[in-house]
Amino acid sequence: MSKKWAVCMSGGGAKGAFQMGVLEALGERGIEIDFLSGSSVGALNAAGFAHVGIKQLKSVWLNIKGKKDILKSSWLSWSPKGIYSTKPLKKIINKHVNKKSNIEAVACAVNLDGQIVYASNQDHAPDVFASWVEASCLIPFIMEPTIGHYFDGGIVEQTPLSYTLSRRDNVIVILNAPTKRFVYDKFEPYWPPIVSYGLRAIDDIMTREVFLNDVQANCEEWQNAGKKVHIIEPPEPLGIDTLDFEPKKLFFAYQKGREVGHAHRFTS
C-alpha cells in the first residue's frame, strides 16, 4: 500500500497490548503511518509509536511485570483524589516521550465540564505533551489527576475518530474491545467489586456504545466526503480487565493483535 494512513485508537488499559500487536503487524505489511490519535491507552500507544517506534513500544509492553509497574496504590496515604497514583506510568512516559517526533501523535483528554482537548506533539514541547498523554489515561476517582482536572478522553470519546477524520482521509481504527455484544456467562471481579464493575461498565458498555454512536452519526458524511475508514477489533473479548497487567495476558493480547492485524483485508 503506497498511501499513508492515520491510526485512531480506543482506550482499554491493559488491553492496549492488542493495539501494539496490530501496529506491529501493519508495519510488517508495509502500511505506512504518519498520524496517530487516541484516548487513554490509545494515547499512550500513539505517543510511543510516534516517539520511539514499534520496536521500543513492544519492549515496554512485554516487559511489564504487573500492575505495580504502572500504578502505585494511594490507599496508605488516604488520598481523596483517587485510589491509584500514576507515578510509575508517568516515569515510563517521560522516559520515552522526551524528543520531538516527525510523526504526529494526538492525545484526547476531557475535563469535568466535558471540555475536550486534543493535544498534539506537534503543538507542545515533549514534556508538556507527555503530561497530556498521562492525563488522557486517568480514570476519574480511581486515579489522581495531573493537569488541572483533565481525565481519560474515553469518557466522552472512546476514539477521537471525528477529529482524526477532520485531519486525514484514510483512517485505521483499532479498538480494544469488539463492537458486537457478548453475554458473559461468568464474571469474577479482579479488583474490589465497586472498582471491577465500574471498569467493566466502561469497557463493555461505554467503549461500544460511544464508538458506535460516533460511527452511526458520521458514517454517511464520511463516505460522501470520500473518507476511508477501516475498523480493526478483537473478534471476541480479550478476557483482560482494564487494570490487569498480568504478563501472560498482555502477551496473549499482543499475539491476538498481530493475528488480527495480519488478517485484516484492506478493500477500496
Side-chain angles (χ1 to χ4, degrees), residues 27-40:
E28 292 171 354
R29 294 177 62 179
I31 295 171
E32 190 173 356
I33 298 167
D34 68 346
F35 180 99
L36 303 100
S37 66
S39 294
S40 194

Side-chain angles (χ1 to χ4, degrees), residues 92-113:
I92 293 174
I93 296 172
N94 289 342
K95 177 181 177 180
H96 296 91
V97 182
N98 56 17
K99 296 179 181 179
K100 280 286 189 179
S101 171
N102 292 327
I103 298 175
E104 185 170 4
V106 174
C108 176
V110 62
N111 67 13
L112 295 180
D113 293 326

